[in-house]
Structure formats: C-alpha cells, structure tokens
Amino acid sequence: MRTAVVVGGGLGGLAVSGALARSGWQVTLLERADRIRPEPAAVVLWPNGVRALRALGLGAGLDAIATTLSDGGVRRPDGHWLVQPRPTPAERLPVVVHREDLHDALIAGLGERVELRTGVTVRTVRAAAGERPAVGDGRHTYEADLVVAADGTDSVIRRQLAPASGVVSSGCAAWRAVIPWYRAPSLPDAVGGEILGAGYRFVSASLGERGSSGASSRGGIYWMATAAGAARPEPPETQLALLRRWYAGWPAPVDELLAATDPADLVQREIRELRPLPRAFGFPAGPGGVVLLGDAAHAMPPHLGQGACLAFEDAATLAVLLRESTLPDAVLAYDRARRPRAAAVVRQTRRMSAVLRTRGRLALRARDAALGTITPRLLGTAATIAAQWRPPT
C-alpha cells in the first residue's frame, strides 16, 4: 500500500488527504494546532475551484452547502458603475460557501485511511536522492512514499526546499465576517457585487436564502473588506469602528452591513504573498518525493479569490497524476502542470493588487480617472483564467 504524509490541515491539506485515501493510499495528516478548526468566515469558489472539488469526488457535498452568486457588477465609492451587472452563463458564476460547512464536507470525505495527528509541529524535511522522503518534529520522523507540504504561507518545508522564495507583505490587510440571518439587515436591493475605492475594497454575498432550511445552518451575509496598510493591532471593537469610519458614505449595503456586524464576527488577516514563487513545486526523493500545495506553493493576495481554488486544483491534479504515473515521475509531472498555471494567476492578482493599493493624492487622481478602463479589463481576464481550467485527464 502506498503511503503519504500530508503536512497541514487547512482546506488544501484536507482535500488532498481525502483524495489520496479514496485512491487507496494510507495517509497521515499532521496538523500543528491542537485541533482543526476553520475561520468563521466564508470562501468564494470560482468555476475552476468548483470543477476541482467535483474532480475530487466532493461535488454532492458542495451542492448542498453552496450558494451561486449572480453578477452584482462593480461600483466606485461614489456609486458610479465600473462594470454593470449583466447576464452571465451559469458555468462562469462563482459560488460562496461558509468555511465551516466546507470544512465539515472535507472532514467527512477523509475516510478510514486517514490518520489525523494534531499538535505536531514539523521542523525538518528529508528529500535526499537515496532515502524515502520524510518530515520530523524533533521527536518523531514520519516517512512515506510521498510528502505533501500543505502547511500554508509560512511553510517550513518550502523554506528548506525552496529558500529563495520568501514571504513578503502585500501592503494591505483584510477583514471578513458572516452576519447570521437572524441579525442581518433587511435590504431593499440584492446583496452582492463589489465596490472599489482608492486603496479600499468591499465585497458582499448572501449565504443561502433568508429563512431557508437547507443543509447549511450557517446562512447569512458574508462580506470582505481590504484596506491599504498594515494589519491593525487594536481589539476587534476598535477595528470595527475604524472600518465604519473608513467606509462611511459608500453605497449600500456597506453601511448597513458594517452596522449589523458584531466585533465577535470579525476576522482580520494580514495579506502576504510569496515573492518569487518557488522554482519547483515538486522534489523527487528516493522512490517518491515532496510536493508543495496551496499557499505553501503560491500564496497570493485574495483580490481575485483564487487562493482556495488553486489549492483544490493542486489536489485534483496531484490525485490524477498519481493514478496515471508512478513515483517519482508523478512528482515531476505535478511540477510541470502546476507552476505555469499558478504563475499566470499570480500575475493577474498582482496587477489587481497594484491598482488597489495606489497611494498619494496625485497618483490616486490618475488611478481613479483610469479605474473605469483598467478594472473591467482585469476582471475580465481574471474571469477567463478562472473559467479555463479543467481537471487533467
């Protein structure tokens, strides 16, 4: 029986662990925290992410918890439309899922062949030519035919195998929240779409229908805000007050959603990315190898909503290649398949990031004057990139 060690119990680590187990692998999943728990927020999955989850055999679970987003268009803070809402084919529309619901679906898909070990902090990786790949925590060594590094932006494994790829600040911070339906405001217009300002962005979406009794008990209104600058050290109450001040006067439903948000709903994250991307995502070692997956391979800002989608793409691609190729050939094939794809998405994300974090009065005036031309083109390119990926066959 083939064996794998997956490091990291986030969305990507759970997805690849379940996929390998369903293919007959014995998987050891190592998680640094005492227990695996997701953020009380939501995640938007574009068509590529949805296809990846279906390729992983998780389509039925996704259908029960996902809400399709209509095209809400893009506005400026003064209400001017940059991109008008327009009819969009269903196959190009994203869906939104509560992270806790998605986490539960991924946990349910692990099966009996996955051994979960929490409280394990991986400190070393072995990827030598004549030995089986392995990781260690200073007390135990975990050997396997394959090691999957899904240990996030601060991946210890990546730092040792690809030390030239460093983590840097993206120059902005993000806040997320889900307002449960019992506390959500009643809004005259449909919730959805995004608003782009000078260094600020606000996105909102409905999680299911108000009062619906679907499979998810975590419905409500999800919103995400990004602002140029460092993460805030103040308590959530102060952060929320700052957000209400920064976004005061923005078009509906921004004021209403921030007013209905409790400090306990708020999740803040510093936005960081990898620069440059690792020169390899796969490292043959002995009879097998080590691969980088998700943020460990291509951490990027969330402006195009592709972080989780690319992680699921990674997992689906790896699962197919491991069925079709023998180790370590599958490790090299994974690298060839994933690096160009990730690099293309990262390039588009960085272009959007540059537009959003423009600073300085004169630069802002020039940016705002061009925003109506730049943004639709960038968003159109991003939508094309998101729609074009298909699972390997």
Side-chain angles (χ1 to χ4, degrees):
M1 179 182 296
R2 295 186 292 180
T3 59
V5 171
V6 177
V7 182
L11 297 180
L14 291 172
V16 75
S17 295
L20 293 177
R22 289 189 293 275
S23 297
W25 288 64
Q26 184 65 43
V27 180
T28 301
L29 175 57
L30 306 179
E31 167 58 35
R32 180 176 57 185
D34 292 334
R35 64 187 181 97
I36 298 178
R37 52 177 173 238
E39 292 180 343
V43 59
V44 174
L45 298 177
W46 288 84
N48 53 316
V50 173
R51 290 193 196 100
L53 284 176
R54 296 193 186 284
L56 291 167
L58 298 170
L62 179 65
D63 291 340
I65 59 177
T67 302
T68 301
L69 299 182
S70 59
D71 190 335
V74 184
R75 291 177 288 169
R76 283 178 24 175
D78 61 4
H80 175 75
W81 286 102
L82 295 171
V83 181
Q84 291 274 358
R86 60 195 184 282
T88 303
E91 65 272 12
R92 292 179 64 92
L93 290 172
V95 301
V96 61
V97 186
H98 200 292
R99 278 185 175 266
E100 294 178 359
D101 287 330
L102 184 56
H103 171 268
D104 290 349
L106 293 172
I107 289 288
L110 291 180
E112 297 180 355
R113 293 182 182 271
V114 177
E115 178 188 5
L116 173 60
R117 298 190 182 186
T118 58
V120 178
T121 301
V122 169
R123 304 181 188 280
T124 60
V125 58
R126 186 177 71 204
E131 300 178 277
R132 293 183 78 204
V135 294
D137 64 353
R139 296 176 300 171
H140 300 80
T141 298
Y142 302 89
E143 287 188 351
D145 299 313
L146 177 71
V147 171
V148 180
D151 48 344
T153 305
D154 294 311
S155 170
V156 171
I157 296 175
R158 185 200 63 247
R159 288 205 302 265
Q160 295 184 32
L161 297 181
S165 181
V167 180
V168 300
S169 172
S170 298
C172 54
W175 290 261
R176 297 177 174 87
V178 173
I179 306 170
W181 281 127
Y182 71 84
R183 195 161 24 89
S186 296
L187 302 172
D189 299 318
V191 177
E194 61 183 291
I195 306 171
L196 298 177
Y200 297 88
R201 181 188 188 215
F202 195 95
V203 181
S204 59
S206 294
L207 283 165
E209 297 293 331
R210 185 186 295 270
S212 63
S213 56
S216 171
S217 61
R218 303 183 178 104
I221 300 178
Y222 166 65
W223 63 260
M224 181 185 76
T226 59
R232 305 295 302 195
E234 298 91 348
E237 293 81 1
T238 305
Q239 293 178 30
L240 188 54
L242 285 171
L243 290 171
R244 290 168 177 164
R245 186 177 73 194
W246 292 342
Y247 292 91
W250 280 41
V254 177
D255 286 344
E256 294 89 338
L257 294 182
L258 290 177
T261 302
D262 282 350
D265 301 329
L266 207 60
V267 177
Q268 181 192 207
R269 286 289 179 268
E270 178 188 12
I271 298 178
R272 299 178 298 156
E273 60 189 280
L274 293 182
R275 283 183 180 262
L277 292 182
R279 297 185 65 179
F281 288 1
F283 305 85
V290 180
V291 298
L292 306 179
L293 184 145
D295 285 346
H298 40 66
M300 69 188 80
H303 304 313
L304 297 182
Q306 285 295 313
C309 294
L310 283 191
F312 294 143
E313 283 186 23
D314 292 344
T317 301
L318 182 62
V320 170
L321 294 175
L322 289 171
R323 289 196 299 267
E324 296 182 345
S325 306
T326 58
L327 289 169
D329 292 342
V331 172
L332 294 173
Y334 173 81
D335 177 64
R336 291 192 298 267
R338 295 310 300 158
R339 270 196 304 132
R341 167 66 174 167
V345 176
V346 167
R347 279 195 299 271
Q348 296 301 321
T349 301
R350 288 176 179 169
R351 289 171 183 169
M352 178 60 79
S353 182
V355 170
L356 291 175
R357 68 170 185 257
T358 303
R359 291 184 139 183
R361 184 166 56 185
L362 294 178
L364 286 175
R365 287 179 180 174
R367 199 290 305 270
D368 286 347
L371 199 58
T373 301
I374 295 173
T375 304
R377 186 169 65 249
L378 281 176
L379 292 175
T381 302
T384 299
I385 287 176
Q388 69 187 8
W389 183 84
R390 296 291 190 279
T393 57

